[in-house]
Amino acid sequence: GEHSLATISLDGTSAVQNLIMIDGVPIHGGSTGNVDLSCFPLTGVETIEIVKGPLSALYGANALGGVVNIIPNLTGEPGAALTLSAGSFLSGRTNLTVSRENWGLALGGSTTEGHLNHSATNSYYFAAQYNPIGTPDGFLKIYGSFRVKDAQIPGSYPGNQDDQNIFLNITGKKELSNSYLQGKIFYQTWRNFYEDLVFTTDYLHKYRRLGTDLTYFSDTGNHRLLSGLVYNNDTSDSTETGVHRRHEIGLYLQDLWDLNDYLLVHSGVRMDKVDHYQTAFSPRIGLTWFIT
């Protein structure tokens, strides 16, 4: 039902071992590490990229099963669209999108009484995009969204749960000769409130992440080299665990080497340094044989 946590499993791995991203920015999973995909409406989503297999050399340990990259785009041909839908259990959904050449917005929500006792769910969202720069050799893109999900949790121990998410990303890209340089600055929050109706206890967890990502790509013919630097500043404030802060620095390097028309060598390594933990290295090497 709509109240449930929607996750994905790639190649038999657990949900926390799959990395969920919006426009190339990893989403903070909160206290459990799980990203609730039901909070992300498809309105305004241009592409969803799915890559299976261990990609730790690029994205860190959370990408053991694979990566799901949700790419939104609210710009395009000038226009507007309104969709309304309704169904059983007093269910309804509304979406409104407005697009222009260099900006766009989307808003909507859904509601349902649920098919179980105490399973009503309401959700709302708002997203906006502005592209102040768009040239053949580069762009600057600003994207932000606000999502709310208010759900009644059924079962033997019922409760009420409220989730709020804020996501803001500024991306700039500059094309060079056989290479490009791309930078990102992002900010995201996740607020989770849970009311336990059996033990009359309230829980509040708040998480915030501020980060940057700088990437350089070079194509020399036989070699495609990708390198990058990631920095995350995380803050958590929980009624269960208190206030904690964490800094994370990641360096990654990957090379795709075309030996010939049939053999491809892919190698890479990533180094992560997180407060209070030892430095972690994630190497990767493989050989792909294109039969035809």
Side-chain angles (χ1 to χ4, degrees):
E2 294 286 338
H3 65 274
S4 301
L5 181 71
T7 60
I8 190 171
S9 174
L10 298 175
D11 291 341
T13 57
S14 64
V16 295
Q17 294 174 318
N18 300 282
L19 189 64
I20 308 298
M21 302 193 299
I22 295 182
D23 214 359
V25 175
I27 301 300
H28 197 302
S31 58
T32 64
N34 287 316
V35 177
D36 187 1
L37 291 174
S38 67
C39 294
F40 301 94
L42 287 177
T43 305
V45 173
E46 182 180 56
T47 308
I48 298 179
E49 298 176 339
I50 301 175
V51 182
K52 296 182 179 180
L55 294 173
S56 300
L58 281 183
Y59 299 109
N62 287 346
L64 181 63
V67 173
V68 177
N69 187 20
I70 304 171
I71 303 177
N73 185 16
L74 299 174
T75 63
E77 292 293 330
L82 173 66
T83 62
L84 303 171
S85 62
S88 56
F89 306 108
L90 297 180
S91 300
R93 192 180 303 272
T94 304
N95 296 290
L96 172 65
T97 59
V98 178
S99 60
R100 294 296 184 268
E101 183 178 355
N102 64 339
W103 67 270
L105 59 87
L107 57 94
S110 63
T111 182
T112 180
E113 289 296 316
H115 66 286
L116 300 174
N117 293 330
H118 194 78
S119 63
T121 304
N122 299 299
S123 62
Y124 316 92
Y125 75 92
F126 173 78
Q129 178 180 335
Y130 175 52
N131 299 347
I133 299 176
T135 62
D137 61 348
F139 66 85
L140 180 64
K141 174 182 176 181
I142 303 173
Y143 175 84
S145 63
F146 174 68
R147 303 177 299 273
V148 176
K149 180 180 177 181
D150 186 6
Q152 294 179 345
I153 308 301
S156 304
Y157 298 93
N160 297 318
Q161 181 168 315
D162 178 72
D163 289 278
Q164 296 181 13
N165 296 271
I166 296 176
F167 178 84
L168 178 63
N169 181 31
I170 302 175
T171 302
K173 184 177 181 180
K174 177 65 175 178
E175 297 280 353
L176 306 171
S177 177
N178 298 323
S179 62
Y180 70 78
L181 184 66
Q182 181 171 279
K184 297 179 182 178
I185 301 176
F186 48 88
Y187 173 80
Q188 53 182 298
T189 65
W190 180 72
R191 180 187 182 276
N192 171 259
F193 173 78
Y194 187 80
E195 179 186 11
D196 192 323
L197 298 180
V198 176
F199 298 99
T200 62
T201 305
D202 296 342
Y203 304 92
L204 179 62
H205 313 281
K206 294 184 292 184
Y207 300 90
R208 185 201 68 188
R209 169 171 289 178
L210 177 65
T212 61
D213 187 342
L214 184 63
T215 303
Y216 176 75
F217 174 80
S218 177
D219 188 350
T220 61
N222 291 338
H223 289 272
R224 285 160 287 169
L225 182 66
L226 179 68
S227 59
L229 170 66
V230 178
Y231 171 75
N232 291 324
N233 184 339
D234 295 339
T235 302
S236 66
D237 185 357
S238 171
T239 55
E240 292 296 290
T241 60
V243 179
H244 298 275
R245 292 177 175 84
R246 183 179 71 179
H247 301 272
E248 175 187 356
I249 297 178
L251 295 170
Y252 57 89
L253 177 67
Q254 176 178 274
D255 179 45
L256 301 180
W257 179 18
D258 293 307
L259 293 176
N260 50 48
D261 292 339
Y262 299 95
L263 294 176
L264 169 67
V265 177
H266 41 93
S267 59
V269 64
R270 179 177 174 121
M271 182 202 74
D272 287 290
K273 176 58 180 175
V274 185
D275 288 346
H276 314 300
Y277 294 93
Q278 294 181 350
T279 301
F281 289 91
S282 303
R284 177 174 183 254
I285 188 168
L287 177 67
T288 301
W289 173 32
F290 298 96
I291 300 176
T292 61

